[in-house]
Amino acid sequence: MAARQAVEATWHRAAPAPVVLVSGPEAVLASRAVERIVAAMRKRGEIEITRLDAAGYSRGQLQAATSPSLFAEPGLVIVEAVEAMSDDFLQDSLAYVAGPDPECVVVLLHGGGVRGKKLLDTLRKGNAPEYTCPAIKKDADLVDFAAGEFERAGRPTGARAVRALVDAIGSDVAEIAAACAQLISDVSGPIDEQVVARYYGTRVNATGFAVADAAIAGKGGEAIALVRHALSTGTDPVPLVAALASKLRTMIKVGAARGRRLDPTKDLGIQPWQVDRARRELQRWDAESLALAVQAVAQADAEIKGASRAPGFALERAVRTVASLASGR
């Protein structure tokens, strides 16, 4: 049997249309596709943006969101979690795509899977534009992604500097994107290996992100193994606890924004891909568990920075506490 051809990433071509399908599992790329559509629409003037959740959708929401009477400006409706759509959304969306409002742009984000196949088939048969966001997993793909980030910003960067950045950050696409954005924003001259080392050091940062990801996901054993390996190879515990604190702060901001009806990106300055990740992580957390996690990390931070003679133990204790809270134990 012939090998299956890899899906081409076309997210960087995303443009407004009455109905747009953004498909694939890579949330960072999907966010970028939406950003391109928003930017293109804003060049024409002010727009009204509405977000819908297809998984928790109720009958009539799409029609209400796309109604011309609601918009003083052109409307953009972004529908998330189409891969987990409710039956009500399937019925409403099939009716809508048969005759979409030409003055409104509806973007459907489908993360993959078979749910909603009838809608996807209808869109594809009707030649609705589709922009793909395949998963980025291979090392070479991560390097290509980082290089592309610099190129699209008009800041082409040498291969060795890009390689050093990926080595420092690790395999998390969202963290790579955030690191590229920071360098592009902060560095006025060439971005070389020395600049990358000054900002991100070596794999210490990657280890910190990995520890934080594992702990917040409730994977206590994995997180502790990473901590012990890092400490045994001479890693300073300060950046490890800092990475954990940073992840918790982002989650709290995103969670609070939801209750206050704020846009985390527009109102709080959090990158869209960080918002998407925090929303997924928040599914296993509540306000009380987050507060307890923050207290544990703050205590470890104080102990590591001088209040304790055993900083490694303080870090392990905080990681265990966070992982336990995440897993509900």
Side-chain angles (χ1 to χ4, degrees):
M1 182 182 293
R4 185 175 181 180
Q5 187 175 4
V7 175
E8 179 189 2
T10 60
W11 62 270
H12 49 85
R13 302 173 191 161
V19 180
V20 177
L21 174 60
V22 177
S23 63
E26 195 57 73
V28 173
L29 303 187
S31 294
R32 293 298 176 79
V34 172
E35 287 174 14
R36 289 184 61 84
I37 293 171
V38 170
M41 293 183 69
R42 282 182 171 156
K43 287 181 180 179
R44 308 171 189 171
E46 291 298 316
I47 59 174
E48 182 76 21
I49 300 177
T50 303
R51 291 183 177 269
L52 298 178
D53 177 8
Y57 179 90
S58 298
R59 198 69 180 269
Q61 286 183 306
L62 182 59
Q63 181 179 3
T66 55
S67 174
S69 63
L70 292 180
F71 300 116
E73 300 88 16
L76 169 63
V77 180
I78 301 168
V79 186
E80 301 172 335
V82 175
E83 73 280 359
M85 69 176 72
S86 67
D87 291 338
D88 283 344
F89 178 78
L90 178 59
Q91 294 180 37
D92 281 4
S93 59
L94 286 171
Y96 181 79
V97 301
D101 182 347
E103 300 301 318
C104 186
V105 174
V106 176
V107 180
L108 305 175
L109 304 179
H110 192 288
V114 299
R115 180 67 174 163
K117 184 177 184 300
K118 185 175 181 180
L119 174 60
L120 299 184
D121 290 344
T122 299
L123 292 169
R124 289 162 180 161
K125 288 178 182 177
N127 294 318
E130 178 178 4
Y131 303 103
T132 51
C133 307
I136 300 175
K137 295 181 179 179
K138 296 180 180 178
D139 183 72
D141 293 338
L142 293 168
V143 172
D144 288 345
F145 171 76
E149 291 290 278
F150 292 117
E151 290 174 5
R152 281 184 287 274
R155 301 288 299 279
T157 303
R160 295 184 67 174
V162 175
R163 175 74 265 176
L165 180 64
V166 173
D167 283 346
I169 301 302
S171 60
D172 188 296
V173 180
E175 299 292 356
I176 291 174
C180 292
Q182 182 179 24
L183 291 173
I184 291 165
S185 173
D186 292 357
V187 180
S188 56
I191 300 172
D192 54 22
E193 288 177 274
Q194 288 70 36
V195 169
V196 172
R198 186 166 72 247
Y199 273 77
Y200 296 104
T202 60
R203 287 188 180 271
V204 171
N205 302 78
T207 301
F209 291 132
V211 169
D213 289 344
I216 287 171
K219 301 175 182 177
E222 179 181 335
I224 292 298
L226 287 166
V227 167
R228 290 178 178 174
H229 175 73
L231 296 178
S232 70
T233 55
T235 299
D236 189 328
V238 171
L240 301 183
V241 76
L244 188 54
S246 177
K247 295 277 290 185
L248 287 169
R249 283 196 299 271
T250 299
M251 290 168 63
I252 289 169
K253 288 179 180 179
V254 172
R258 182 187 306 167
R260 297 174 184 174
R261 298 184 178 180
L262 297 176
D263 183 326
T265 298
K266 181 179 178 181
D267 299 319
L268 303 179
I270 304 173
Q271 295 295 333
W273 56 87
Q274 292 175 307
V275 174
D276 290 339
R277 178 160 191 154
R279 284 173 174 163
R280 293 195 300 271
E281 290 167 337
L282 281 167
Q283 293 177 6
R284 62 169 61 242
W285 291 83
D286 57 26
E288 182 179 359
S289 60
L290 279 171
L292 292 172
V294 169
Q295 291 174 12
V297 172
Q299 181 181 347
D301 184 65
E303 293 179 358
I304 288 169
K305 292 177 180 177
S308 171
R309 295 181 180 179
F313 173 78
L315 176 61
E316 270 200 34
R317 184 181 60 206
V319 168
R320 288 185 189 278
T321 300
V322 172
S324 295
L325 289 167
S327 58
R329 295 196 299 270

